[in-house]
Amino acid sequence: MTEKEILELILPGLNGSSSLEIPPGDDCAVMKIPMAGTEGNNRAILKVDTIVESIHFNPDDDAERVGHKALARPLSDFAAMGARPAAALVSLSLASPADGNWITGFYRGLNRLAEKFGVCVAGGETTRAMEGKSISVSIVGFCGDGGYVSRHGCQEGDALFVSGELGGSIQGHHLDFMPRIEEAAWLRENFPIHAMMDLSDGLGSDLRSMLDPLDMGADLLRSGIPVSRAARARAREGLTSKSPVEAALTDGEDYELLFAVAPSMAVKVKDAWKAAFPEVPIACIGKVSPNKGIRIQTEKGFELLRQKGFEHFATPEQNGTASGTATNTPDSDPSRQ
Amino acid sequence: MTEKEILELILPGLNGSSSLEIPPGDDCAVMKIPMAGTEGNNRAILKVDTIVESIHFNPDDDAERVGHKALARPLSDFAAMGARPAAALVSLSLASPADGNWITGFYRGLNRLAEKFGVCVAGGETTRAMEGKSISVSIVGFCGDGGYVSRHGCQEGDALFVSGELGGSIQGHHLDFMPRIEEAAWLRENFPIHAMMDLSDGLGSDLRSMLDPLDMGADLLRSGIPVSRAARARAREGLTSKSPVEAALTDGEDYELLFAVAPSMAVKVKDAWKAAFPEVPIACIGKVSPNKGIRIQTEKGFELLRQKGFEHFATPEQNGTASGTATNTPDSDPSRQ
């Protein structure tokens, strides 16, 4: 079974989850705090994430970087909602005999990131494992009415943005990335963001999970996809069979923001972002389409992004929407570097 | 390194934990919710616990029982504080290919227990592991000012109580126990409980962790220790070298409540408990002493409970307090069965 199949099996049956404001399946769950004095307006935001040795990190990866990643991943889910984290619970499973230097390094990396975002590390459990290491980090945050953005609010014609540059995360970014907590909270506080998520499975796959439930799709401009140096280097050095832009669309673990705003807001958002976060790239990559699927406009025509790469196509009914009218959508975006 | 040594290494450095109302090291952590509108009076209670295959359960243990245990353990920590759980986050790591029947059974057991205590399962993440299964469950609860009991409030002369019967948990109780959420909340709401915790490492060890930081100890009455049928059976059948009472004092995973009340309250608490929970045994096992160590009064004299069993002793200065004045303490407790 794939993780997706497992989730489809268990999510519908989780006790009480249907009463959540945002049930499991979004980046974080959101519940109204069942407590007198909060006037029904306060929410708890909840997320757990686990990383496992030899799957999410290598045995010889630096312990500080592993500690960073263990916390940064669920923080990225908080960023995905424009939410601020308050406290973290850490459960570290490791084989005996425990290596004190590794544990110290791990917590050095984790605590440094916690400090940066004001996260209180409220639990530091350790458990013995038979083999290897695994780390679960749960995060709770609090917010008022409307204090978060879900991933399910895209509207037809919305401009789609991503932060940073994509692809080739395996070269090191996956251990060192900085969750976009500040940028996302700023977006939510200053603009009517329709939908937001973080990129963990790759832009193509994540876009689908954002748009498929709405029976919508996306029209992207190939030249608008921000490709990382690492993705270019990997292609150049023959470390991957993917082209750089294909890597940017399909590699996982980017941990960048993907968000949607009304097309009339696109230029304002982009200009304000550049002023607020001059060191963090921002790119308008395309727009939300009423037609399912992800179409990519290239100089030579259109491609359809499939699970396993591209498929060239040019039938009129399929690319009709991709060549539709441009407002502030990527086709006409003059500021893309 | 032992788990205790690891915790001593990491707990002091956890970012922001010193600002918690109850920092890591108690059964749960407690933080004031940093949010407008709560008037500084509302608290979040937080706990994570992880169980690992071949350590906390066997590969051939029934999946439903494993699901039950995975949630019941951190719930028992909530019981330890007289607190009520609100939501749980579950992270299940398992090797590929995943066994759908096992996962379904696991969640059946977990959800059934969640339903019993009104716990919303707000997250059901799954992660691939290299080998075996491990499950992390984090729980958050909410309460007002004073809505919990810590383990650190024992006073000299307090009567010490335990719920249920102890020892021999390995025979099956460790997979099937029912966390004492209702009983503990009832205690907290109806009586001035000085200190409470759940028994996970064995009564002797847990008593020490409750009393050592206060430079106090306990005088127990050997005949007052409630010994489980399983502990008796294991001794009778030669499955352990421990005597039944030794098993009750040193076996782990009882998940019963240990609590302290003023001696003047002892009879009231016991009578009220028996009326409220006629099917759950309650026993006054002894009293809090100003002298460190755990002394056990037997028909033949006194024994000192060490990490690795008993040590007979009878020097006047050591057992002076154990034979001190009795009020409503176990020496004079008439209701012990």
Side-chain angles (χ1 to χ4, degrees):
Chain A
M1 297 177 83
T2 66
E3 187 180 344
K4 189 161 173 264
E5 288 168 337
I6 296 172
L7 291 178
E8 283 168 1
L9 186 71
I10 61 176
L11 288 187
L14 294 180
N15 186 67
S17 63
S18 59
S19 67
L20 292 169
E21 194 162 271
I22 301 288
D26 209 309
D27 294 282
C28 302
V30 180
M31 78 184 301
K32 286 196 179 186
I33 296 181
M35 191 163 55
T38 64
E39 296 153 17
N41 281 330
N42 288 317
R43 311 291 194 278
I45 304 178
L46 303 164
K47 179 66 189 182
V48 61
D49 186 80
T50 299
I51 61 173
V52 176
E53 188 175 80
S54 301
I55 291 175
H56 302 94
F57 61 93
N58 291 319
D60 59 353
D61 280 335
D62 179 68
E64 280 190 54
R65 299 174 83 192
V66 176
H68 176 95
K69 179 172 186 174
L71 179 60
R73 272 170 55 111
L75 284 183
S76 187
D77 288 300
F78 267 68
M81 306 194 80
R84 289 192 183 274
L89 295 169
V90 181
S91 180
L92 171 58
S93 300
L94 67 180
S96 287
D99 176 347
N101 283 337
W102 195 92
I103 296 169
T104 306
F106 171 87
Y107 270 100
R108 198 181 308 125
L110 186 142
N111 279 309
R112 189 188 300 131
L113 185 62
E115 188 179 3
K116 179 176 173 70
F117 292 115
V119 178
C120 167
V121 184
E125 194 214 27
T126 63
T127 306
R128 190 158 61 91
M130 294 303 282
E131 188 191 315
K133 305 179 185 76
S134 76
I135 306 107
S136 267
V137 177
S138 295
I139 304 190
V140 59
F142 305 100
C143 71
D145 207 4
Y148 64 89
V149 179
S150 96
R151 62 163 70 177
H152 295 303
C154 279
Q155 297 175 19
E156 188 183 329
D158 274 356
L160 291 166
F161 282 89
V162 297
S163 65
E165 295 173 335
L166 311 181
S169 178
I170 191 73
Q171 292 295 105
H173 178 74
H174 76 105
L175 287 170
D176 298 326
F177 70 92
M178 194 55 69
R180 301 297 188 194
I181 294 283
E182 293 300 339
E183 295 87 342
W186 172 89
L187 276 174
R188 182 183 56 71
E189 286 158 11
N190 289 283
F191 295 97
I193 306 298
H194 288 169
M196 187 155 59
M197 66 183 296
D198 72 323
L199 296 175
S200 54
D201 294 342
L203 175 59
S205 174
D206 291 329
L207 253 180
R208 275 191 206 91
S209 75
M210 191 185 235
L211 294 168
D212 275 0
L214 305 172
D215 276 328
M216 294 183 189
D219 295 324
L220 307 186
L221 188 66
R222 184 162 184 155
S223 63
I225 311 293
V227 180
S228 73
R229 279 190 197 185
R232 293 187 204 281
R234 285 173 61 78
R236 195 170 54 238
E237 292 162 22
L239 298 171
T240 174
S241 61
K242 295 178 185 177
S243 71
V245 75
E246 199 174 359
L249 282 159
T250 61
D251 283 356
E253 303 213 56
D254 290 315
Y255 303 109
E256 294 291 351
L257 296 174
L258 165 65
F259 60 94
V261 291
S264 61
M265 298 297 299
V267 169
K268 278 184 201 166
V269 166
K270 186 162 186 170
D271 290 347
W273 176 293
K274 288 186 169 190
F277 308 105
E279 292 175 8
V280 182
I282 182 80
C284 184
I285 58 168
K287 63 179 179 182
V288 175
S289 155
N291 302 323
K292 281 188 93 164
I294 299 173
R295 286 158 298 277
I296 300 172
Q297 188 177 351
T298 71
E299 291 173 3
K300 296 176 184 172
F302 293 90
E303 290 173 328
L304 192 63
L305 185 64
R306 299 286 193 189
Q307 293 289 355
K308 292 178 180 175
F310 297 105
E311 182 184 319
H312 188 78
F313 74 97
T315 62
E317 69 273 21
Q318 279 177 300
N319 63 23
T321 57
S323 57
T325 55
T327 53
N328 288 310
T329 52
D331 314 61
S332 61
D333 180 0
S335 59
R336 175 75 210 142
Q337 296 135 13
Chain B
M1 299 177 80
T2 65
E3 186 178 345
K4 189 160 174 262
E5 287 168 337
I6 296 172
L7 291 178
E8 284 168 359
L9 185 72
I10 62 177
L11 289 188
L14 294 180
N15 186 67
S17 63
S18 59
S19 67
L20 292 169
E21 195 161 271
I22 300 288
D26 210 309
D27 294 282
C28 302
V30 180
M31 79 183 301
K32 287 197 179 184
I33 295 180
M35 191 163 55
T38 65
E39 294 153 20
N41 281 332
N42 288 317
R43 311 289 195 278
I45 304 179
L46 303 164
K47 178 66 188 182
V48 61
D49 187 80
T50 299
I51 61 173
V52 176
E53 188 176 79
S54 302
I55 292 175
H56 302 94
F57 61 94
N58 291 320
D60 58 354
D61 281 336
D62 179 68
E64 278 190 55
R65 299 173 84 191
V66 176
H68 176 95
K69 180 172 186 173
L71 179 60
R73 272 170 55 110
L75 285 183
S76 187
D77 288 299
F78 267 69
M81 307 194 80
R84 289 191 183 275
L89 294 169
V90 181
S91 179
L92 171 59
S93 301
L94 68 179
S96 288
D99 175 347
N101 284 338
W102 195 93
I103 297 169
T104 306
F106 171 87
Y107 269 100
R108 198 181 308 124
L110 186 142
N111 279 310
R112 189 188 300 132
L113 184 62
E115 188 178 3
K116 180 176 172 70
F117 292 115
V119 179
C120 167
V121 184
E125 194 214 27
T126 62
T127 306
R128 190 159 61 92
M130 293 304 281
E131 189 191 315
K133 305 180 185 76
S134 76
I135 306 106
S136 266
V137 177
S138 295
I139 304 190
V140 59
F142 306 99
C143 70
D145 208 5
Y148 63 89
V149 179
S150 96
R151 62 162 70 178
H152 295 304
C154 279
Q155 296 175 19
E156 188 183 329
D158 274 356
L160 292 165
F161 282 89
V162 296
S163 65
E165 295 174 334
L166 312 181
S169 177
I170 191 73
Q171 292 295 105
H173 178 74
H174 76 106
L175 286 171
D176 298 326
F177 70 92
M178 196 52 72
R180 301 295 188 195
I181 294 283
E182 293 300 339
E183 296 87 344
W186 172 89
L187 277 174
R188 183 183 55 71
E189 285 159 13
N190 289 283
F191 295 98
I193 306 298
H194 288 169
M196 187 154 59
M197 67 184 294
D198 73 322
L199 296 175
S200 54
D201 294 343
L203 175 59
S205 174
D206 291 328
L207 254 181
R208 276 191 205 91
S209 75
M210 191 185 234
L211 295 167
D212 276 1
L214 305 172
D215 277 328
M216 294 183 188
D219 296 324
L220 307 185
L221 189 65
R222 185 160 182 154
S223 61
I225 311 293
V227 180
S228 73
R229 280 189 195 186
R232 294 188 204 282
R234 284 173 62 78
R236 194 170 56 239
E237 292 162 22
L239 296 172
T240 174
S241 61
K242 296 178 185 177
S243 72
V245 75
E246 200 174 359
L249 283 159
T250 61
D251 283 356
E253 303 213 57
D254 290 314
Y255 304 109
E256 294 291 350
L257 297 174
L258 165 65
F259 62 94
V261 291
S264 61
M265 298 299 299
V267 169
K268 278 185 202 168
V269 166
K270 187 162 185 169
D271 290 347
W273 177 291
K274 287 184 169 191
F277 308 105
E279 292 175 9
V280 182
I282 181 80
C284 184
I285 58 168
K287 63 181 180 182
V288 175
S289 155
N291 301 323
K292 281 188 93 162
I294 298 173
R295 286 157 299 276
I296 299 173
Q297 188 177 351
T298 71
E299 289 172 6
K300 297 176 183 172
F302 292 91
E303 290 173 326
L304 193 62
L305 185 65
R306 299 288 194 189
Q307 294 290 354
K308 292 177 182 176
F310 298 105
E311 180 183 322
H312 189 77
F313 76 97
T315 61
E317 68 275 19
Q318 279 178 299
N319 63 22
T321 57
S323 57
T325 55
T327 54
N328 287 311
T329 54
D331 314 61
S332 61
D333 180 359
S335 58
R336 176 73 209 144
Q337 297 136 12

